[in-house]
Amino acid sequence: MAHADNPAATPVSHEAARQNPQALDPQALDPQTGDPQALEQLATKRTPSMRRSVIDRWVVSTDGVRLATYSYGDPSHPTVLCVHGFPDDHRMWESVAALLADEYHVVTFDMRGAGKSDRPSKIGDYTISHLADDIASVARTIADNGRVHLLAHNWGGAGAWDLALHPVDGLELLSLTTIGTASPEYYSAWVRDQLRLDWQHIRDLLSLWKTNTYMTLMQIPVITPTLFRLGVGDVAMNFAKWRFEKGTPPRDYGKHLAARNRDGLRIYPANIYSQMFGGKPDRVTGQPRKPVPSLVIVPEHDKLFPPVAQSGAAEWALDCRIRFVDGGHWLPLYQPDLVASMTREFVEEVEDRYPKSS
């Protein structure tokens, strides 16, 4: 396939970076002394914010789409793979990664249509199955025997849930932590479950009208991409963050983000209504399958995907716990300490439960 244009960034191996730190970041030379030794010391102490533009490795997904990946911490430690949604890119996880990197090998990547990864032009290339394949391709490449703990947000969580429900070869999904998202299959089942003559169920369903309106608007061809290119999407999302988020606003992130990553809008027409009419998921599968331990973090002030839908869908999952927190949709950006703490606690519990075989 013809790859989309990417900024001039060359993949750099960890070994090459150790031998030539300047290859890791051409601008990392000590500005005062130009000392190569100081440069090497700087490379070993690099913080996530200093590394965000440096691609560690390109991973090619099953359909040939190239994905830019970024890593933090010791690769010999358990791997936590962070997956973002729309309109974000890998940088939304930088603060969380910094808090986890001492204990874990943390990997982030740009989803297709975002950041420096390829941007397929067809809507059909953005289905949940494609997103799940991207996550699996990255996991198989960066983790020992594909053993990963997934930490996912928004549409990244939808792809992560797909992997949890439909395992693939070469990937051992140890745990799943999601924020502001739900399994499309479980969400579809929850919606149909509300279609009963019960006022509480009907009220929960009616509470989704804002979400349904927003998701429908995101699918309008030509007009919506044009508005995003002109910056209207950024204005709307910045207002939502200012109005509903709790915590400290992230520095140096988010400017013109929706405009830059507007190719990811194709996720909406590729998935919204097709997912609503899928088969109802079974609570017990026909084939023996170990449920993936899952933690669903539900921000109580999420206005893009209502908490009642997140928790309602999660109730269909096996081996799942639901935690409500005081925060908004972009919890990893505004409260990274909370996200890192909850993730660390859950991953430690799972690692104790399923120790790595020698």
Side-chain angles (χ1 to χ4, degrees):
M1 63 172 283
H3 296 299
D5 292 337
N6 281 288
T10 303
V12 180
S13 68
H14 294 293
E15 182 62 29
R18 284 194 295 269
Q19 295 178 0
N20 179 17
Q22 196 164 0
L24 192 62
D25 186 346
Q27 297 182 350
L29 190 64
D30 187 293
Q32 296 181 348
T33 66
D35 183 4
Q37 185 175 1
L39 172 65
E40 185 171 2
Q41 293 173 351
L42 181 61
T44 60
K45 297 180 180 179
R46 189 173 302 277
T47 63
S49 62
M50 297 166 65
R51 298 186 50 173
R52 66 185 178 197
S53 63
V54 181
I55 299 172
D56 288 336
R57 177 182 295 179
W58 290 100
V59 171
V60 180
S61 193
T62 52
D63 62 349
V65 169
R66 296 183 304 170
L67 306 168
T69 70
Y70 310 78
S71 63
Y72 315 87
D74 188 341
S76 67
H77 292 168
T79 298
V80 175
L81 176 57
C82 304
V83 192
H84 67 82
F86 177 83
D88 295 292
D89 57 33
H90 77 278
R91 293 175 301 158
M92 79 161 293
W93 293 111
E94 283 179 345
S95 295
V96 175
L99 294 166
L100 294 175
D102 285 344
E103 301 154 274
Y104 301 101
H105 175 220
V106 184
V107 178
T108 64
F109 73 101
D110 292 326
M111 296 281 280
R112 60 179 59 208
K116 296 181 181 178
S117 291
D118 284 350
R119 300 166 181 249
S121 59
K122 296 180 180 179
I123 289 176
D125 290 333
Y126 288 82
T127 65
I128 293 296
S129 295
H130 284 86
L131 303 185
D133 286 343
D134 290 350
I135 299 170
S137 296
V138 173
R140 284 190 291 251
T141 303
I142 55 88
D144 182 22
N145 295 322
R147 291 172 54 92
V148 296
H149 298 271
L150 288 183
L151 172 58
H153 177 255
N154 190 253
W155 281 105
W161 270 112
D162 191 77
L163 281 181
L165 296 174
H166 307 286
V168 298
D169 292 336
L171 172 66
E172 185 177 358
L173 182 51
L174 300 175
S175 75
L176 170 61
T177 300
T178 65
I179 306 166
T181 186
S183 158
E185 292 179 42
Y186 289 150
Y187 175 68
S188 177
W190 175 80
V191 169
R192 288 195 295 270
D193 198 46
Q194 307 310 299
L195 299 176
R196 297 183 292 176
L197 295 179
D198 178 283
W199 172 240
Q200 180 61 50
H201 289 87
I202 294 175
R203 186 173 63 179
D204 288 344
L205 198 57
L206 291 176
S207 70
L208 299 178
W209 72 270
K210 292 181 181 178
T211 298
N212 293 332
T213 301
Y214 139 73
M215 289 190 174
T216 299
L217 292 175
M218 299 292 265
Q219 300 179 64
I220 300 176
V222 182
I223 295 177
T224 299
T226 299
L227 291 175
F228 267 69
R229 180 173 58 83
L230 296 175
V232 175
D234 284 295
V235 172
M237 292 185 183
N238 287 337
F239 173 79
K241 292 175 181 177
W242 170 79
R243 178 67 177 82
F244 301 113
E245 294 299 326
K246 309 282 185 177
T248 305
R251 296 181 58 187
D252 197 24
Y253 175 80
K255 188 176 182 179
H256 307 310
L257 189 68
R260 290 199 309 271
N261 292 334
R262 63 185 180 277
D263 292 290
L265 281 167
R266 299 185 180 101
I267 292 175
Y268 290 87
N271 295 287
I272 294 299
Y273 294 115
S274 63
Q275 292 291 334
M276 286 300 298
F277 300 102
K280 187 173 182 178
D282 295 327
R283 289 185 182 274
V284 180
T285 59
Q287 296 294 328
R289 177 174 62 86
K290 182 178 71 174
V292 176
S294 53
L295 170 64
V296 174
I297 301 175
V298 181
E300 293 179 318
H301 304 284
D302 193 332
K303 301 303 179 181
L304 297 185
F305 195 31
V308 65
Q310 297 179 42
S311 59
E315 289 176 358
W316 284 86
L318 301 171
D319 196 3
C320 177
R321 65 202 63 186
I322 304 169
R323 298 288 185 268
F324 289 85
V325 298
D326 184 19
H329 182 74
W330 281 278
L331 191 73
L333 281 172
Y334 283 78
Q335 299 188 55
D337 289 4
L338 176 63
V339 172
S341 175
M342 297 181 74
T343 301
R344 181 185 298 108
E345 180 181 351
F346 184 55
V347 169
E348 287 177 355
E349 176 190 325
V350 173
E351 285 285 323
D352 291 339
R353 194 193 312 182
Y354 303 114
K356 182 177 180 180
S357 58
S358 56

